Amino acid sequence: MSVEERLSEVRSKIETAGREAGRKPDSVTLIAVSKTFDAEEIRSAIQARQRVFAENRVQEAQAKWPALKTETPDIELHLIGPLQSNKAEDAVALFDVIESVDREKIARVLATEMKAQGRKLRVYIQVNTGREPQKAGVVPDDVAAFVGLCRDELGLSVEGLMCIPPVDENPGPHFALLAKLANENGLTKLSMGMSGDFEAAIGFGATSVRVGSAIFGSR
Ligand SMILES: *Cc1c(COP(=O)(O)O)cnc(C)c1O
């Protein structure tokens, strides 16, 4: 199957899952995760009207996206992978949304960079819903304080929460927990669900789903 065909299949699954969950049409944004795929494959998706994309590494994104964004200025690019302080300047210059804000140091560096560049990116707080030691993200107990720091002290445009559930568990309880934490903190956006579980995530209230391999093929 081509990228166009897989994309249209994913779109119709999103629509069906949304309808079954009683969600409003267009209340779920499809984010096409293009990490490891080259500019030609990405162009196929752009030609099929996809506009929201995500990458997990700043350096890889810098190699592909400046040219693609020049060709198609209404692209919205999300960073969904871990961010190091020394890459914050480049990330703020290239991305439109940073979904992986997960610790005080990076939140402070991002706030400083956004001021310096005069760019106000939307951000998500990444939550380690499974409390996995090797995984990035704020643990659930710390979400309220961290959202407060980012929003009130640093003035970041915190839009929502993002999670990556443990690979070997039913993701449902993790999606439910993320929705509860967002609600408790007055946040309306939930970035959750990947190729294997985006329909389930929509049932739990995902407002965006991050889908890579179901669109571009296996990595
Ligand atoms: C790679 C990645 C995805 C997409 O994964 P697929 O299983 O290919 O859909 C989603 N979110 C994050 C954070 C990723 O790194």
Side-chain angles (χ1 to χ4, degrees), residues 157-191:
S157 300
V158 180
E159 182 160 87
L161 302 180
M162 181 271 240
C163 76
I164 309 169
V167 284
D168 51 356
E169 283 181 35
N170 172 8
H174 297 274
F175 296 150
L177 174 58
L178 198 71
K180 175 174 171 278
L181 291 166
N183 187 45
E184 286 170 0
N185 288 282
L187 299 168
T188 53
K189 301 285 176 116
L190 292 168
S191 174

Short mmCIF file of all heavy atoms in Angstrom, two decimals, residues 157-191:
data_model
loop_
_atom_site.label_atom_id
_atom_site.label_comp_id
_atom_site.label_asym_id
_atom_site.label_seq_id
_atom_site.Cartn_x
_atom_site.Cartn_y
_atom_site.Cartn_z
N SER A 157 3.00 28.41 27.06
CA SER A 157 1.62 28.13 26.61
C SER A 157 1.36 26.65 26.74
O SER A 157 1.45 25.90 25.76
CB SER A 157 1.44 28.54 25.16
OG SER A 157 1.69 29.90 25.01
N VAL A 158 1.04 26.20 27.94
CA VAL A 158 0.80 24.77 28.17
C VAL A 158 -0.59 24.43 27.64
O VAL A 158 -1.59 24.96 28.11
CB VAL A 158 0.90 24.41 29.66
CG1 VAL A 158 0.64 22.91 29.85
CG2 VAL A 158 2.26 24.78 30.22
N GLU A 159 -0.60 23.57 26.64
CA GLU A 159 -1.86 23.27 25.97
C GLU A 159 -2.45 21.95 26.47
O GLU A 159 -3.66 21.79 26.49
CB GLU A 159 -1.55 23.17 24.48
CG GLU A 159 -2.71 22.90 23.60
CD GLU A 159 -2.42 23.31 22.17
OE1 GLU A 159 -1.86 22.48 21.44
OE2 GLU A 159 -2.76 24.43 21.81
N GLY A 160 -1.61 21.00 26.83
CA GLY A 160 -2.16 19.71 27.22
C GLY A 160 -1.09 18.78 27.75
O GLY A 160 0.03 19.20 28.06
N LEU A 161 -1.47 17.51 27.83
CA LEU A 161 -0.58 16.47 28.35
C LEU A 161 -0.34 15.42 27.28
O LEU A 161 -1.20 15.18 26.42
CB LEU A 161 -1.20 15.81 29.59
CG LEU A 161 -1.54 16.72 30.77
CD1 LEU A 161 -2.15 15.88 31.91
CD2 LEU A 161 -0.31 17.48 31.27
N MET A 162 0.80 14.78 27.36
CA MET A 162 1.16 13.73 26.40
C MET A 162 1.66 12.51 27.17
O MET A 162 2.30 12.67 28.22
CB MET A 162 2.27 14.27 25.49
CG MET A 162 2.77 13.32 24.43
SD MET A 162 4.12 12.27 24.96
CE MET A 162 5.38 12.75 23.80
N CYS A 163 1.36 11.31 26.70
CA CYS A 163 1.94 10.12 27.33
C CYS A 163 2.27 9.05 26.31
O CYS A 163 1.73 9.02 25.20
CB CYS A 163 1.03 9.54 28.42
SG CYS A 163 -0.41 8.63 27.82
N ILE A 164 3.18 8.18 26.71
CA ILE A 164 3.52 6.97 25.95
C ILE A 164 3.37 5.81 26.94
O ILE A 164 4.26 5.59 27.77
CB ILE A 164 4.98 7.02 25.44
CG1 ILE A 164 5.26 8.33 24.70
CG2 ILE A 164 5.28 5.81 24.55
CD1 ILE A 164 6.75 8.56 24.40
N PRO A 165 2.25 5.08 26.91
CA PRO A 165 2.06 4.01 27.89
C PRO A 165 3.11 2.91 27.76
O PRO A 165 3.73 2.76 26.71
CB PRO A 165 0.67 3.43 27.52
CG PRO A 165 0.01 4.50 26.72
CD PRO A 165 1.12 5.22 26.00
N PRO A 166 3.33 2.15 28.84
CA PRO A 166 4.28 1.02 28.77
C PRO A 166 3.88 0.08 27.63
O PRO A 166 2.69 -0.17 27.42
CB PRO A 166 4.10 0.33 30.12
CG PRO A 166 3.52 1.37 31.03
CD PRO A 166 2.70 2.26 30.16
N VAL A 167 4.88 -0.44 26.91
CA VAL A 167 4.58 -1.25 25.72
C VAL A 167 3.83 -2.54 26.04
O VAL A 167 3.05 -3.03 25.22
CB VAL A 167 5.85 -1.62 24.93
CG1 VAL A 167 6.35 -0.44 24.13
CG2 VAL A 167 6.93 -2.19 25.81
N ASP A 168 4.06 -3.09 27.23
CA ASP A 168 3.53 -4.42 27.52
C ASP A 168 2.25 -4.38 28.36
O ASP A 168 1.88 -5.37 28.98
CB ASP A 168 4.60 -5.24 28.24
CG ASP A 168 5.19 -4.49 29.42
OD1 ASP A 168 4.80 -3.31 29.63
OD2 ASP A 168 6.02 -5.07 30.14
N GLU A 169 1.60 -3.22 28.41
CA GLU A 169 0.39 -3.13 29.23
C GLU A 169 -0.80 -2.67 28.40
O GLU A 169 -0.63 -2.02 27.38
CB GLU A 169 0.60 -2.10 30.36
CG GLU A 169 1.43 -2.63 31.50
CD GLU A 169 1.59 -1.59 32.61
OE1 GLU A 169 0.64 -0.82 32.86
OE2 GLU A 169 2.67 -1.57 33.22
N ASN A 170 -2.00 -2.97 28.87
CA ASN A 170 -3.21 -2.40 28.30
C ASN A 170 -3.11 -0.88 28.44
O ASN A 170 -2.97 -0.38 29.55
CB ASN A 170 -4.41 -2.97 29.08
CG ASN A 170 -5.72 -2.29 28.69
OD1 ASN A 170 -5.78 -1.50 27.75
ND2 ASN A 170 -6.76 -2.60 29.44
N PRO A 171 -3.18 -0.15 27.33
CA PRO A 171 -2.99 1.31 27.44
C PRO A 171 -4.18 2.04 28.05
O PRO A 171 -4.04 3.18 28.49
CB PRO A 171 -2.78 1.74 25.98
CG PRO A 171 -3.47 0.71 25.17
CD PRO A 171 -3.36 -0.58 25.94
N GLY A 172 -5.35 1.40 28.09
CA GLY A 172 -6.57 2.07 28.54
C GLY A 172 -6.43 2.82 29.86
O GLY A 172 -6.72 4.02 29.93
N PRO A 173 -5.96 2.16 30.93
CA PRO A 173 -5.83 2.87 32.20
C PRO A 173 -4.86 4.05 32.14
O PRO A 173 -5.04 5.04 32.85
CB PRO A 173 -5.28 1.78 33.14
CG PRO A 173 -5.75 0.49 32.53
CD PRO A 173 -5.72 0.72 31.05
N HIS A 174 -3.87 3.97 31.28
CA HIS A 174 -2.92 5.08 31.13
C HIS A 174 -3.58 6.27 30.43
O HIS A 174 -3.39 7.42 30.83
CB HIS A 174 -1.67 4.62 30.37
CG HIS A 174 -0.92 3.55 31.13
ND1 HIS A 174 0.01 3.85 32.10
CD2 HIS A 174 -1.03 2.20 31.10
CE1 HIS A 174 0.47 2.72 32.63
NE2 HIS A 174 -0.15 1.70 32.03
N PHE A 175 -4.38 5.97 29.41
CA PHE A 175 -5.12 7.04 28.73
C PHE A 175 -6.11 7.69 29.70
O PHE A 175 -6.27 8.91 29.73
CB PHE A 175 -5.87 6.49 27.51
CG PHE A 175 -4.99 5.93 26.43
CD1 PHE A 175 -5.44 4.90 25.61
CD2 PHE A 175 -3.72 6.43 26.21
CE1 PHE A 175 -4.64 4.38 24.59
CE2 PHE A 175 -2.90 5.93 25.20
CZ PHE A 175 -3.38 4.90 24.39
N ALA A 176 -6.78 6.86 30.49
CA ALA A 176 -7.76 7.39 31.45
C ALA A 176 -7.07 8.28 32.49
O ALA A 176 -7.59 9.34 32.86
CB ALA A 176 -8.50 6.23 32.13
N LEU A 177 -5.90 7.84 32.95
CA LEU A 177 -5.16 8.62 33.94
C LEU A 177 -4.73 9.97 33.34
O LEU A 177 -4.85 11.02 33.98
CB LEU A 177 -3.93 7.83 34.42
CG LEU A 177 -2.95 8.55 35.36
CD1 LEU A 177 -3.66 9.04 36.62
CD2 LEU A 177 -1.78 7.63 35.73
N LEU A 178 -4.26 9.95 32.09
CA LEU A 178 -3.84 11.22 31.46
C LEU A 178 -5.02 12.18 31.34
O LEU A 178 -4.89 13.38 31.61
CB LEU A 178 -3.22 10.96 30.09
CG LEU A 178 -2.35 12.12 29.56
CD1 LEU A 178 -1.04 12.23 30.35
CD2 LEU A 178 -2.05 11.98 28.07
N ALA A 179 -6.18 11.63 30.98
CA ALA A 179 -7.38 12.47 30.85
C ALA A 179 -7.77 13.07 32.20
O ALA A 179 -8.12 14.24 32.31
CB ALA A 179 -8.53 11.64 30.27
N LYS A 180 -7.67 12.27 33.25
CA LYS A 180 -8.01 12.74 34.60
C LYS A 180 -7.05 13.86 35.03
O LYS A 180 -7.47 14.90 35.55
CB LYS A 180 -7.94 11.55 35.57
CG LYS A 180 -8.14 11.89 37.03
CD LYS A 180 -8.21 10.58 37.86
CE LYS A 180 -8.18 10.85 39.35
NZ LYS A 180 -6.80 11.08 39.86
N LEU A 181 -5.75 13.65 34.79
CA LEU A 181 -4.76 14.65 35.18
C LEU A 181 -4.95 15.96 34.40
O LEU A 181 -4.82 17.05 34.97
CB LEU A 181 -3.33 14.11 34.94
CG LEU A 181 -2.89 12.97 35.86
CD1 LEU A 181 -1.63 12.30 35.32
CD2 LEU A 181 -2.65 13.49 37.28
N ALA A 182 -5.29 15.85 33.13
CA ALA A 182 -5.53 17.07 32.33
C ALA A 182 -6.73 17.82 32.91
O ALA A 182 -6.67 19.04 33.12
CB ALA A 182 -5.77 16.70 30.87
N ASN A 183 -7.77 17.10 33.17
CA ASN A 183 -8.99 17.70 33.71
C ASN A 183 -8.72 18.40 35.05
O ASN A 183 -9.14 19.54 35.27
CB ASN A 183 -10.05 16.60 33.85
CG ASN A 183 -11.40 17.15 34.25
OD1 ASN A 183 -11.83 18.16 33.68
ND2 ASN A 183 -12.03 16.53 35.23
N GLU A 184 -7.98 17.74 35.91
CA GLU A 184 -7.66 18.32 37.23
C GLU A 184 -6.83 19.60 37.11
O GLU A 184 -6.82 20.42 38.02
CB GLU A 184 -6.86 17.31 38.07
CG GLU A 184 -7.70 16.17 38.60
CD GLU A 184 -6.85 15.05 39.22
OE1 GLU A 184 -5.61 15.15 39.23
OE2 GLU A 184 -7.46 14.06 39.67
N ASN A 185 -6.11 19.73 35.99
CA ASN A 185 -5.24 20.89 35.83
C ASN A 185 -5.76 21.90 34.81
O ASN A 185 -5.01 22.77 34.36
CB ASN A 185 -3.82 20.42 35.47
CG ASN A 185 -3.13 19.78 36.66
OD1 ASN A 185 -2.65 20.48 37.54
ND2 ASN A 185 -3.12 18.46 36.72
N GLY A 186 -7.02 21.75 34.45
CA GLY A 186 -7.62 22.72 33.54
C GLY A 186 -7.06 22.71 32.14
O GLY A 186 -7.06 23.72 31.45
N LEU A 187 -6.56 21.54 31.71
CA LEU A 187 -6.01 21.42 30.36
C LEU A 187 -6.97 20.63 29.48
O LEU A 187 -7.56 19.64 29.94
CB LEU A 187 -4.64 20.73 30.40
CG LEU A 187 -3.56 21.45 31.22
CD1 LEU A 187 -2.36 20.55 31.44
CD2 LEU A 187 -3.16 22.74 30.53
N THR A 188 -7.11 21.04 28.22
CA THR A 188 -8.13 20.41 27.37
C THR A 188 -7.56 19.48 26.31
O THR A 188 -8.30 18.76 25.66
CB THR A 188 -8.97 21.49 26.66
OG1 THR A 188 -8.07 22.36 25.98
CG2 THR A 188 -9.80 22.28 27.66
N LYS A 189 -6.23 19.50 26.11
CA LYS A 189 -5.67 18.71 25.01
C LYS A 189 -4.93 17.47 25.53
O LYS A 189 -4.19 17.55 26.52
CB LYS A 189 -4.70 19.56 24.18
CG LYS A 189 -5.34 20.80 23.57
CD LYS A 189 -6.21 20.45 22.40
CE LYS A 189 -6.91 21.66 21.84
NZ LYS A 189 -6.53 21.99 20.50
N LEU A 190 -5.14 16.37 24.83
CA LEU A 190 -4.53 15.09 25.19
C LEU A 190 -3.88 14.47 23.97
O LEU A 190 -4.57 14.08 23.03
CB LEU A 190 -5.61 14.12 25.70
CG LEU A 190 -6.29 14.46 27.02
CD1 LEU A 190 -7.52 13.57 27.20
CD2 LEU A 190 -5.31 14.25 28.17
N SER A 191 -2.55 14.38 23.98
CA SER A 191 -1.83 13.72 22.90
C SER A 191 -1.53 12.30 23.32
O SER A 191 -0.64 12.05 24.14
CB SER A 191 -0.53 14.48 22.60
OG SER A 191 0.23 13.76 21.64
#
